[in-house]
Amino acid sequence: MLALLSRFEIAVTIGVLGAIALVRIARSLAPRRELLVYGVGLGITAVAYVVFGLQRGAPASHLGLELVGAGLYGVAAVLGTMRWPALLAFGWTAHVAWDLFFHYASCPAFAPAWYPWFCVGFDLFLGGYIAGLARQHVSAIERTVHSAAADAER
């Protein structure tokens, strides 16, 4: 069956499997620690392009853009982990656009050709999963507020 898949399809599939493995590991931790794992992962994912650029001789202008991206995703990782899980989900999902439009479609390839496609599978799966967690978080807060309001009325 693998012979029927392109190398990009294989990279996406491995990305999804990697995200599933990370979720299984992170879910074994306390909920706050689970988000921390995803936040650290987003930071590492963004910095990976800086490392690839340094290793493969990217010009300073390209490295500067990579550092801006790493900074933006780093902010999403920190704020998403600490306060707004939906921002963490957005960061992972938006990273796919960074992978495909900035790296795959428009720039010289300083990252391995398979890496953006691996990220498509990994990032989209993780972004969707974290969005579900964020929705559960909002629902839990709403239940607490409604419960407190009902208690106050009594």
Side-chain angles (χ1 to χ4, degrees):
M1 177 159 154
L2 284 177
L4 300 176
L5 299 175
S6 73
R7 65 184 174 148
F8 300 120
E9 292 167 327
I10 292 170
V12 171
T13 302
I14 292 171
V16 170
L17 294 173
I20 290 169
L22 181 64
V23 167
R24 291 191 50 91
I25 292 167
R27 286 188 63 179
S28 69
L29 305 172
R32 245 0 199 174
R33 298 268 187 218
E34 181 181 4
L35 283 179
L36 181 62
V37 168
Y38 304 140
V40 169
L42 180 57
I44 290 170
T45 299
V47 170
Y49 281 116
V50 175
V51 172
F52 289 141
L54 287 170
Q55 287 177 335
R56 294 172 180 227
S61 60
H62 183 84
L63 290 172
L65 286 173
E66 294 293 2
L67 287 170
V68 168
L72 292 172
Y73 291 109
V75 167
V78 170
L79 294 177
T81 299
M82 293 175 60
R83 180 98 170 128
W84 298 293
L87 184 58
L88 189 57
F90 176 78
W92 276 105
T93 305
H95 193 257
V96 173
W98 186 265
D99 293 318
L100 294 181
F101 297 113
F102 184 64
H103 289 285
Y104 186 73
S106 66
C107 282
F110 294 106
W114 56 266
Y115 187 74
W117 294 102
F118 169 86
C119 287
V120 167
F122 192 93
D123 298 359
L124 284 179
F125 182 92
L126 212 49
Y129 176 78
I130 297 167
L133 283 180
R135 182 65 197 136
Q136 288 175 351
H137 178 74
V138 168
S139 295
I141 291 170
E142 289 171 350
R143 283 192 303 273
T144 302
V145 168
H146 291 298
S147 176
D151 288 345
E153 288 178 5
R154 287 184 208 159

